[in-house]
Structures are given as C-alpha cells and as structure tokens.
Amino acid sequence: MNITSTVKLREEMIEKIDGEYNYLYVEKENMTGKIKAETDIFVTYGGDLTDGEAEQFKNLKWVHVMSAGIDEIPKEFFDKAIVTNSTGIHKIPMTEFAVGMLLQYYKNFNQLHEAQNNKEWITYSRSEELYGKEAHILGTGSIGSHLAKALQIFGVRTVGYNTNGRSIEGFDQTHAISELNSQIGSADMMVNILPSTGETTNFLQTATFKAMKDEAVFLNIGRGTVMTDEVLIEVLEQKYIAHVLSDVFNEEPLPADSPLYSFDNLTITPHCSAKTRMYNFRAFDIFTYNLMRMNNDSEMKNVIDYNKGY
C-alpha cells in the first residue's frame, strides 16, 4: 500500500511505517499523475488538493489531514475516500497560547519590555488580574474545554457556547451559540475557537461587539473567517471593545500594506497558536492509530462528515 505525504515527517516517524508500507514524501508541485494514481493514502496539511483533481487519485482510500482544518479539502475527495483530521492535538499549545496572550495584555508585558529596551523604570506600573473576570468561549470542544479549565485555575468564570447549550466539563455555564448576543454583555473576555464552516463564516457581526463591555477583550485563535475584515475594522475604529488579539485572518499571510497593522488596539500574531515542536508528533500519533484501523472506519478517530464540517 502506497502512502504519499506532502508533510515532511521526521525520520523516526517514517521508520514506524516504512517497510510495511511504501512511503513517499513529495512536494505538491512535484506530484505527477503517476504518483497520484498509485496513492492509496494521502497525508497533507490540507492545502494540497484542488477541485477536479480527485479523479487522478484512482486508488485513493484515505486522506489524513495533519491539522484540524478541513475547509481546503474539496468535496469530491470526501465522496471518494475517508477523510480524517488531527483534532485533539491542539488543546495544549493553543490553551497555553491563549492564556499567554491574555496575560500579556492584562499584565502589560509588552509595555514593560519596551521600557526595558528604553532603559526606563516605570515606578508606578500597574496591571490587571484575571481573577474574578468572566471568559466567554465560542466552541466547547477539546480546545475550549481545556482552555476553560486552565482559566478556572486563575479564578476566571467560564461560559461556553455550542450548538445547543449542552453542559461541558470545564465550563461554569453554557449557552446555545444562537444566544450569544443576549449573553455576551457580561463577558470580560471573548475567545473564538470555532472551526470554519458554513454556519460560522461571517458569524460575528458588529452587534455582538456593541453588546460587550467597553473594557472587554476579544481573542481569536479559531478562524479569521468568523468575521469579515470590514466588521473587524469597524470594531477597531469605533472602539466597541478595548482590544482585539488575533492569531488568524481572512488573508494569510497578512500583507504588509494591510490597514490592520495601523491599529494600536489590535495585537497581531501570525497563525502560530498551535505551532510547537510537538505538533507533528501528536498528529502522527493519530495517523498511526488510524492506519492500524483503516479497514474498519468505524474504529478510526476523527472521521469527518463533510456536511457537518467536522
């Protein structure tokens, strides 16, 4: 059985599958028709497959995405093969990133570092506490639940949003996502971890931010598609809330001439919340787990339903 990967696996990973399977690493631009035709299993980060290409993968049985996002996989591949992703591997790095970004904002770490560079001693420097604040988290899956538990350690009250308001471990309270605008007024922090689906695209409108406290903060580590650039710019220009911290954008990389760089109430990071050296190890663990079970897809982890988007 032939495994073709556009993800460059470490040598110790390859050793676990080489021999029993024919493993080939190839860059997308070097994938010939012959390679595609002979591929049984395709491993990707998600952006290597295009519309109209599925018919060239004549023997394709399974696509494994070494990330959570599957929005770049054309529907025709779901019709042709099993598609799995690496949901579940992001909860540790993304939780640490989210807590770090929130602490950076409330503790003024950037200001203190700048003062050090300027050889300045800020005698009366003060910071905010997380303790006693309320965080509203959009998405109560593995990442949201893990983040909620971490924030609770700091004395933060956690409120989660999912499709029907079902209770989830780690959250003091949960609501249906349709109730967001009526509940968001008590939030000190709103964190988006929603995936990119038809339902979540452009979900956040200015009405949500207008309903929030003036001193509230919004952290987006989900997908930039949750709001349009026009909505984001209006939120920043009108200062509906105090600050936006965003790791994701509609256009990535964010071009140097983007107007977003001009806002001092926006903190920009380059879609890096999940990127640590452990990323591929955790994703590969899911791949090898499923590899041993691919003859029975009911036992495989993270099989994606195209219509649901997860």
Side-chain angles (χ1 to χ4, degrees):
M1 190 167 291
N2 298 318
I3 299 175
T4 302
S5 176
T6 53
V7 177
K8 196 166 188 177
L9 301 178
R10 296 172 69 99
E11 198 62 40
E12 58 265 41
M13 298 177 184
I14 297 172
E15 288 175 359
K16 292 182 179 180
I17 57 176
D18 208 13
E20 186 174 355
Y21 299 90
N22 299 315
Y23 172 79
L24 174 66
Y25 165 70
V26 59
E27 295 180 354
K28 168 60 179 177
E29 56 269 25
N30 295 327
M31 283 190 67
T32 63
K34 183 175 185 295
I35 291 173
K36 293 175 186 178
E38 294 176 352
T39 296
D40 298 291
I41 301 168
F42 186 63
V43 182
T44 174
Y45 280 126
D48 300 313
L49 299 172
T50 57
D51 288 323
E53 193 178 19
E55 62 181 19
Q56 299 177 52
F57 287 82
K58 302 184 185 305
N59 296 319
L60 189 66
K61 301 173 180 64
W62 171 32
V63 176
H64 181 67
V65 184
M66 296 276 278
S67 66
I70 47 84
D71 44 298
E72 293 184 293
I73 307 294
K75 182 181 184 300
E76 62 197 69
F77 282 92
F78 290 86
D79 297 333
K80 187 179 190 69
I82 298 166
V83 178
T84 60
N85 71 356
S86 300
T87 291
I89 70 170
H90 303 82
K91 65 180 182 180
I92 293 173
M94 290 182 72
T95 289
E96 291 181 0
F97 186 91
V99 172
M101 291 297 287
L102 292 169
L103 284 172
Q104 174 181 281
Y105 173 76
Y106 284 115
K107 297 301 180 184
N108 298 320
F109 289 150
N110 283 345
Q111 179 188 18
L112 296 174
H113 184 67
E114 184 177 347
Q116 176 185 337
N117 288 339
N118 294 333
K119 300 178 182 179
E120 178 185 2
W121 184 275
I122 307 176
T123 303
Y124 297 105
S125 178
R126 295 288 185 272
S127 64
E128 287 281 334
E129 296 180 358
L130 291 182
Y131 186 87
K133 286 184 167 52
E134 187 167 292
H136 288 220
I137 301 174
L138 314 186
T140 60
S142 61
I143 303 168
S145 177
H146 199 258
L147 174 59
K149 293 173 189 175
L151 289 173
Q152 284 179 333
I153 294 172
F154 287 88
V156 175
R157 183 172 186 272
T158 56
V159 179
Y161 294 84
N162 52 39
T163 53
N164 56 13
R166 63 193 180 280
S167 297
I168 300 290
E169 185 181 2
F171 291 94
D172 295 300
Q173 188 175 7
T174 51
H175 300 290
I177 193 71
S178 58
E179 299 175 22
L180 177 63
N181 287 4
S182 64
Q183 301 294 334
I184 198 62
S186 63
D188 298 290
M189 300 163 267
M190 177 169 68
V191 182
N192 175 54
I193 315 177
L194 294 173
S196 180
T197 67
E199 289 71 30
T200 63
T201 298
N202 301 337
F203 171 71
L204 288 179
Q205 300 291 323
T206 54
T208 300
F209 297 94
K210 288 179 180 179
M212 297 177 72
K213 299 176 181 178
D214 292 343
E215 65 273 21
V217 175
F218 173 55
L219 170 61
N220 190 3
I221 54 173
R223 285 290 186 267
T225 53
V226 77
M227 60 200 297
T228 64
D229 287 350
E230 290 74 20
V231 168
L232 176 56
I233 288 172
E234 182 178 342
V235 169
L236 295 168
E237 287 180 338
Q238 300 302 319
K239 299 184 177 179
Y240 295 139
I241 60 175
H243 205 87
V244 174
L245 305 141
S246 190
D247 188 50
V248 290
F249 298 89
N250 284 295
E251 183 179 4
E252 296 181 2
L254 197 63
D257 61 354
S258 170
L260 294 174
Y261 284 114
S262 64
F263 292 98
D264 58 9
N265 54 342
L266 170 65
T267 298
I268 294 170
T269 54
H271 204 144
C272 58
S273 65
K275 294 177 182 176
T276 72
R277 67 181 184 85
M278 293 303 297
Y279 186 99
N280 273 1
F281 285 103
R282 294 189 178 113
F284 187 73
D285 284 345
I286 293 176
F287 172 72
T288 54
Y289 177 93
N290 283 341
L291 187 61
M292 293 185 290
R293 295 163 176 81
M294 68 170 294
N295 292 326
N296 186 352
D297 59 356
S298 65
E299 295 182 4
M300 296 174 74
K301 289 181 179 179
N302 300 349
V303 177
I304 302 301
D305 182 328
Y306 179 82
N307 293 321
K308 291 181 179 179
Y310 55 88

